[in-house]
Amino acid sequence: MKKGDKVRFLSETGGGIVAGFQGKNIVLVQDADGFEIPMSINEVVVVDEELDRKQGRTSSAATQPKPNSTQQDAPGKQSIKALLSGRYENDADNTDSEYETDPSDNEITFRKPVEERAGGNSLNVYLAFVPENAQQLGQTKMNIELVNDSNYYLHYTFATAEGESWTLRHEGEMEPNTKLKLDTITSEDYNSLQQAAFQAIAFKRQKSYVRKPVIDAKLHIEPLKLFKQHLFAESPFYDQPAMLYTIVEGDEPTETPIEQIDADKLKLEMLSKAALQKMKHDANSSKNFAAASAKTARGDRKPNEPLVVDLHAHEILETTQGMNSMDILQYQLEVFRRTLKEHAAERGLKIVFIHGKGEGVLRKAIINELNRYFKQCSYQDASFQEYGYGATLVKIG
């Protein structure tokens, strides 16, 4: 049986032409009035006109003229029954397509609940510096990562400042007990991190929790530390060397806000006892470097000739016994600061600080001092022909 076949009904009078099928068991029979009648496929039979003539039967389907399809399809000229019956054919055509969608294409809305760990209901948050190559800290890239060692979500912001102007570097939401990379920097960017701030709100989803205070921590990140290999070590969070700054530990912020840091006190704390004794000795010694430099600036220099200050340890210290590399660096910076302060009133004076090439740690520290505390001074690389690569020319403004 196919579309266009003439059929008659077995259980009742009538018949028509097969107009379509609805599923596998229903045939749509169009009668003389243009109506489509759904019938069980077992209740209709195809008409054999030649056999009917021999047996004296005449099929109503055979004697009825074929409806004019143009008239049927014309808008407004179909009966209500015909309009309703047209729905069956459309449904039959769409029956298979309704089930063709692959369930795997549906969007996954299920979200696995976060697994909490024992002891994780206290906030522990850290800022981590993770070098790509811990053996070459001066040349390698450094990843800044956030460590959330708690069962709380964190909605956070991370910003840095230059003076009183703050810049947002990263913001977002962090899941419990995870690590998140905030940025990747090079050694040229270290100075921009000296003043940093981390703010966050802690919460849990789909369960009750103990409300935590809003996190508002300001960090002082010393750029020189990022060059010190011995300060990077493995930790419970990293199998590779990393430096961690504590933001919150045991629900308590541990870093001192920047406004409360006494710069002079911090400087003294960074120096060892041996270094402090050396500074006191040199302050009263005829070999005091700053005093000698001042004398040179006043009388021993030719007009328009720059003052030259050699910051090499063997030039400004009688001995380095009992001092480590950080002690020596801090003493070199102290001589640098003292020299600039003593000549602050001599506008236009040029001072050449010889620091050597090395790994560039002292030069970076000097540039940092100039940018932060001596903004009235201009600076540039000193003449290579006269001083080599490792010298910086500062002009008093």
Side-chain angles (χ1 to χ4, degrees):
M1 189 181 298
K2 62 183 182 299
K3 281 187 178 182
D5 284 349
K6 296 177 182 179
V7 296
R8 67 166 177 265
F9 304 142
L10 295 177
S11 60
E12 60 184 82
T13 304
I17 300 172
V18 175
F21 299 87
Q22 182 178 347
K24 295 181 179 180
N25 301 318
I26 302 297
V27 61
L28 303 177
V29 180
Q30 189 178 62
D31 63 13
D33 296 326
F35 299 141
E36 291 182 1
I37 304 170
M39 295 291 291
S40 172
I41 199 167
N42 297 324
E43 295 294 322
V44 298
V45 63
V46 177
V47 174
D48 188 337
E49 295 179 345
E50 184 176 353
L51 180 60
D52 283 350
R53 281 196 301 271
K54 288 181 181 180
Q55 296 180 356
R57 293 197 305 266
T58 303
S59 169
S60 60
T63 57
Q64 296 297 337
K66 184 177 180 180
N68 188 316
S69 61
T70 304
Q71 293 179 352
Q72 288 181 6
D73 297 336
K77 293 185 178 182
Q78 287 181 293
S79 65
I80 294 175
K81 183 177 179 182
L83 290 171
L84 291 174
S85 64
R87 181 188 62 187
Y88 295 119
E89 183 173 1
N90 292 335
D91 291 345
D93 292 341
N94 295 331
T95 300
D96 294 336
S97 63
E98 291 178 0
Y99 300 97
E100 290 178 358
T101 303
D102 188 343
S104 64
D105 294 336
N106 296 338
E107 181 181 358
I108 299 175
T109 57
F110 173 76
R111 192 171 186 177
K112 183 180 179 181
V114 172
E115 294 184 4
E116 296 191 346
R117 63 175 181 80
N121 287 326
S122 295
L123 287 182
N124 296 284
V125 185
Y126 307 90
L127 188 67
F129 291 86
V130 187
E132 293 183 0
N133 185 349
Q135 304 301 320
Q136 296 181 341
L137 295 177
Q139 291 78 36
T140 190
K141 292 182 179 180
M142 185 81 69
N143 292 326
I144 305 175
E145 299 187 7
L146 190 61
V147 179
N148 179 13
D149 185 33
S150 75
N151 293 334
Y152 282 78
Y153 285 86
L154 294 177
H155 191 79
Y156 68 90
T157 63
F158 176 67
T160 55
E162 184 173 347
E164 298 299 322
S165 177
W166 289 88
T167 301
L168 179 66
R169 297 182 74 116
H170 208 278
E171 61 88 20
E173 185 177 289
M174 189 176 186
E175 292 189 349
N177 300 302
T178 57
K179 295 181 292 187
L180 178 67
K181 184 166 78 170
L182 303 181
D183 202 357
T184 300
I185 61 174
T186 63
S187 58
E188 296 177 354
D189 305 313
Y190 291 172
N191 287 335
S192 67
L193 297 172
Q194 291 186 83
Q195 295 186 71
F198 179 83
Q199 297 174 303
I201 299 174
F203 61 95
K204 292 186 179 182
R205 282 199 171 95
Q206 301 176 344
K207 62 179 63 180
S208 59
Y209 60 91
V210 177
R211 191 169 63 91
K212 301 293 184 179
V214 174
I215 302 172
D216 185 7
K218 292 181 180 178
L219 307 174
H220 178 74
I221 299 171
E222 178 56 55
L224 292 176
K225 290 185 178 180
L226 300 178
F227 292 96
K228 301 301 180 182
Q229 188 172 341
H230 68 277
L231 297 179
F232 290 80
E234 295 182 3
S235 67
F237 312 112
Y238 295 96
D239 294 331
Q240 64 193 95
M243 182 191 298
L244 297 182
Y245 277 82
T246 301
I247 298 174
V248 177
E249 194 166 57
D251 290 336
E252 296 294 333
T254 58
E255 289 290 337
T256 305
I258 293 172
E259 291 85 348
Q260 298 179 14
I261 294 177
D262 186 326
D264 293 332
K265 182 178 179 181
L266 178 64
K267 186 188 341 177
L268 291 175
E269 289 176 349
M270 293 179 69
L271 294 173
S272 68
K273 183 178 180 180
L276 288 173
Q277 291 176 344
K278 179 61 61 180
M279 290 176 64
K280 291 178 181 178
H281 172 75
D282 287 350
N284 299 316
S285 172
S286 59
K287 219 185 158 184
N288 180 276
F289 189 80
S293 299
K295 180 180 178 181
T296 303
R298 288 192 297 269
D300 297 344
R301 282 188 306 111
K302 296 179 181 180
N304 299 323
E305 183 178 314
L307 170 65
V308 179
V309 179
D310 194 334
L311 295 177
H312 282 99
H314 64 272
E315 292 290 339
I316 57 177
L317 290 167
E318 291 183 353
T319 177
T320 57
Q321 185 176 0
M323 301 175 68
N324 59 33
S325 57
M326 181 60 73
D327 296 334
I328 295 172
L329 175 62
Q330 290 302 319
Y331 186 77
Q332 290 170 318
L333 290 177
E334 184 63 26
V335 173
F336 169 79
R337 298 185 194 105
R338 232 186 299 155
T339 302
L340 288 182
K341 289 177 181 178
E342 289 180 3
H343 299 287
E346 302 179 47
R347 294 176 59 86
L349 174 65
K350 296 179 180 179
I351 306 176
V352 175
F353 291 97
I354 300 175
H355 43 69
K357 187 177 179 181
E359 294 183 2
V361 175
L362 179 55
R363 181 184 183 278
K364 288 184 175 69
I366 288 174
I367 299 304
N368 177 55
E369 291 285 324
L370 289 167
N371 290 333
R372 292 194 65 189
Y373 306 113
F374 301 96
K375 295 183 178 180
Q376 74 278 12
C377 299
S378 59
Y379 64 89
Q380 65 185 58
D381 290 337
S383 171
F384 167 73
Q385 293 181 346
E386 294 185 54
Y387 308 104
Y389 283 111
T392 298
L393 173 65
V394 179
K395 184 176 180 181
I396 305 295

PDB file of all heavy atoms in Angstrom, residues 136 158 216 219 260 331 392:
ATOM      1  N   GLN A 136      67.740  30.359  37.320  1.00  0.00           N
ATOM      2  CA  GLN A 136      68.056  31.608  36.616  1.00  0.00           C
ATOM      3  C   GLN A 136      66.984  32.643  36.936  1.00  0.00           C
ATOM      4  O   GLN A 136      66.194  33.043  36.076  1.00  0.00           O
ATOM      5  CB  GLN A 136      68.142  31.368  35.109  1.00  0.00           C
ATOM      6  CG  GLN A 136      69.270  30.423  34.696  1.00  0.00           C
ATOM      7  CD  GLN A 136      69.336  30.234  33.194  1.00  0.00           C
ATOM      8  OE1 GLN A 136      68.384  30.491  32.470  1.00  0.00           O
ATOM      9  NE2 GLN A 136      70.485  29.800  32.715  1.00  0.00           N
ATOM     10  N   PHE A 158      42.830  41.559  43.086  1.00  0.00           N
ATOM     11  CA  PHE A 158      44.258  41.721  43.366  1.00  0.00           C
ATOM     12  C   PHE A 158      44.727  42.969  42.622  1.00  0.00           C
ATOM     13  O   PHE A 158      44.532  43.089  41.405  1.00  0.00           O
ATOM     14  CB  PHE A 158      45.041  40.493  42.895  1.00  0.00           C
ATOM     15  CG  PHE A 158      46.535  40.622  43.054  1.00  0.00           C
ATOM     16  CD1 PHE A 158      47.110  40.680  44.308  1.00  0.00           C
ATOM     17  CD2 PHE A 158      47.365  40.687  41.938  1.00  0.00           C
ATOM     18  CE1 PHE A 158      48.478  40.792  44.465  1.00  0.00           C
ATOM     19  CE2 PHE A 158      48.736  40.797  42.078  1.00  0.00           C
ATOM     20  CZ  PHE A 158      49.292  40.861  43.353  1.00  0.00           C
ATOM     21  N   ASP A 216      40.994  42.111  53.696  1.00  0.00           N
ATOM     22  CA  ASP A 216      41.531  43.345  53.109  1.00  0.00           C
ATOM     23  C   ASP A 216      42.993  43.454  53.537  1.00  0.00           C
ATOM     24  O   ASP A 216      43.325  44.084  54.529  1.00  0.00           O
ATOM     25  CB  ASP A 216      40.728  44.554  53.582  1.00  0.00           C
ATOM     26  CG  ASP A 216      41.177  45.834  52.897  1.00  0.00           C
ATOM     27  OD1 ASP A 216      42.012  45.760  51.971  1.00  0.00           O
ATOM     28  OD2 ASP A 216      40.702  46.920  53.280  1.00  0.00           O
ATOM     29  N   LEU A 219      50.110  44.057  51.070  1.00  0.00           N
ATOM     30  CA  LEU A 219      51.382  43.344  51.138  1.00  0.00           C
ATOM     31  C   LEU A 219      52.518  44.233  50.677  1.00  0.00           C
ATOM     32  O   LEU A 219      52.361  45.003  49.712  1.00  0.00           O
ATOM     33  CB  LEU A 219      51.332  42.095  50.254  1.00  0.00           C
ATOM     34  CG  LEU A 219      50.155  41.126  50.482  1.00  0.00           C
ATOM     35  CD1 LEU A 219      50.185  40.036  49.431  1.00  0.00           C
ATOM     36  CD2 LEU A 219      50.218  40.532  51.868  1.00  0.00           C
ATOM     37  N   GLN A 260      51.675  50.913  58.194  1.00  0.00           N
ATOM     38  CA  GLN A 260      52.239  50.717  59.520  1.00  0.00           C
ATOM     39  C   GLN A 260      53.722  50.352  59.490  1.00  0.00           C
ATOM     40  O   GLN A 260      54.327  50.140  60.524  1.00  0.00           O
ATOM     41  CB  GLN A 260      51.454  49.615  60.244  1.00  0.00           C
ATOM     42  CG  GLN A 260      49.982  49.960  60.446  1.00  0.00           C
ATOM     43  CD  GLN A 260      49.229  48.853  61.137  1.00  0.00           C
ATOM     44  OE1 GLN A 260      49.827  47.943  61.695  1.00  0.00           O
ATOM     45  NE2 GLN A 260      47.906  48.931  61.114  1.00  0.00           N
ATOM     46  N   TYR A 331      74.068  47.881  52.738  1.00  0.00           N
ATOM     47  CA  TYR A 331      75.072  48.910  53.026  1.00  0.00           C
ATOM     48  C   TYR A 331      75.358  49.744  51.768  1.00  0.00           C
ATOM     49  O   TYR A 331      75.502  50.972  51.828  1.00  0.00           O
ATOM     50  CB  TYR A 331      76.361  48.266  53.539  1.00  0.00           C
ATOM     51  CG  TYR A 331      77.383  49.289  53.980  1.00  0.00           C
ATOM     52  CD1 TYR A 331      77.261  49.940  55.200  1.00  0.00           C
ATOM     53  CD2 TYR A 331      78.472  49.618  53.157  1.00  0.00           C
ATOM     54  CE1 TYR A 331      78.185  50.887  55.600  1.00  0.00           C
ATOM     55  CE2 TYR A 331      79.394  50.573  53.549  1.00  0.00           C
ATOM     56  CZ  TYR A 331      79.242  51.206  54.772  1.00  0.00           C
ATOM     57  OH  TYR A 331      80.156  52.149  55.157  1.00  0.00           O
ATOM     58  N   THR A 392      75.585  54.118  36.530  1.00  0.00           N
ATOM     59  CA  THR A 392      74.368  54.909  36.300  1.00  0.00           C
ATOM     60  C   THR A 392      74.647  56.358  36.641  1.00  0.00           C
ATOM     61  O   THR A 392      75.196  56.663  37.695  1.00  0.00           O
ATOM     62  CB  THR A 392      73.211  54.384  37.177  1.00  0.00           C
ATOM     63  OG1 THR A 392      72.918  53.016  36.801  1.00  0.00           O
ATOM     64  CG2 THR A 392      71.951  55.220  36.988  1.00  0.00           C
TER      65      THR A 392
END
